[in-house]
């Protein structure tokens, strides 16, 4: 099930890049980011009400854990900027390469108090194929 959800995440991300990029072209990247995040806020509020979810006590949660919102804003801005010049497939491919490399580093060193999953040399083959694919896409 988690594999299917991850694949669906990729589908949704690709659609999001197109919609956000087009909105960015129509309104400007900063205004579109405000609109996108406002609509997301309204959407999650509706979801919280419908599911009758309760907000838990936020005390004791380190402040840095709330930085995901800032990262979300940067993600929208960066993809909006890239989308116009690179198109959807190259924007998403390069973003996924960045995610892959970053996740390998996080896993290898166990950052954010995660279980350490050491980098194995066989992963170089996968990375190489991905980089080759991106290179071929740029030709």
């Amino acid at each position: 099930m988690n594999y299917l959800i991850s694949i669906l995440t990729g589908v949704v991300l690709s659609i999001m890049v197109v919609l956000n990029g087009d909105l960015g072209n129509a309104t400007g990247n900063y205004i579109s980011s405000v609109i996108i995040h406002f609509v997301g806020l309204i959407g999650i509020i509706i979801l919280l009400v419908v599911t009758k979810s309760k907000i838990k006590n936020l005390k004791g949660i380190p402040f840095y854990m709330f930085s995901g919102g800032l990262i979300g804003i940067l993600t929208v801005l960066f993809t909006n900027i890239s989308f116009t010049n690179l198109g959807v497939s190259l924007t998403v491919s390069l973003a996924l390469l960045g995610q892959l490399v970053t996740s390998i580093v996080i896993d290898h060193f166990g950052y954010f108090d995660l279980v350490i999953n050491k980098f194995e040399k066989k992963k170089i083959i996968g990375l190489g194929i991905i980089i080759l694919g991106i290179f071929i896409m740029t030709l």
Side-chain angles (χ1 to χ4, degrees):
M1 184 65 168
N2 291 326
Y3 290 103
L4 179 60
I5 290 171
S6 294
I7 290 170
L8 289 174
T9 300
V11 170
V12 171
L13 268 169
S14 295
I15 294 168
M16 180 195 74
V17 168
V18 173
L19 297 175
N20 290 354
D22 284 344
L23 183 62
N25 287 337
T27 64
N29 289 323
Y30 299 127
I31 297 298
S32 70
S33 186
V34 171
I35 295 168
I36 290 161
H37 286 89
F38 180 75
V39 171
L41 174 65
I42 298 302
I44 198 65
I45 288 172
I46 291 169
L47 192 60
L48 287 170
V49 169
V50 168
T51 60
K52 298 179 181 163
S53 298
K54 295 181 181 175
I55 297 175
K56 297 180 180 179
N57 187 350
L58 302 177
K59 290 181 182 176
I61 297 176
F63 183 73
Y64 75 88
M65 288 188 180
F66 295 102
S67 66
L70 177 60
I71 293 169
I73 290 168
L74 294 175
T75 301
V76 169
L77 286 174
F78 293 165
T79 56
N80 283 3
I81 293 165
S82 299
F83 164 79
T84 303
N85 297 312
L86 301 178
V88 180
S89 59
L90 198 51
T91 297
V92 171
S93 297
L94 290 167
L96 291 175
L97 176 62
Q99 288 177 357
L100 183 58
V101 170
T102 303
S103 64
I104 287 171
V105 171
I106 290 169
D107 275 349
H108 181 76
F109 293 105
Y111 292 140
F112 307 106
D113 294 327
L114 295 176
V115 174
I116 292 175
N117 291 304
K118 291 289 185 186
F119 181 78
E120 299 174 17
K121 290 182 181 180
K122 65 183 178 183
K123 291 182 181 180
I124 292 173
I125 297 169
L127 281 170
I129 292 170
I130 291 168
I131 292 168
L132 178 62
I134 292 170
F135 176 73
I136 291 170
M137 290 171 65
T138 62
L139 299 177

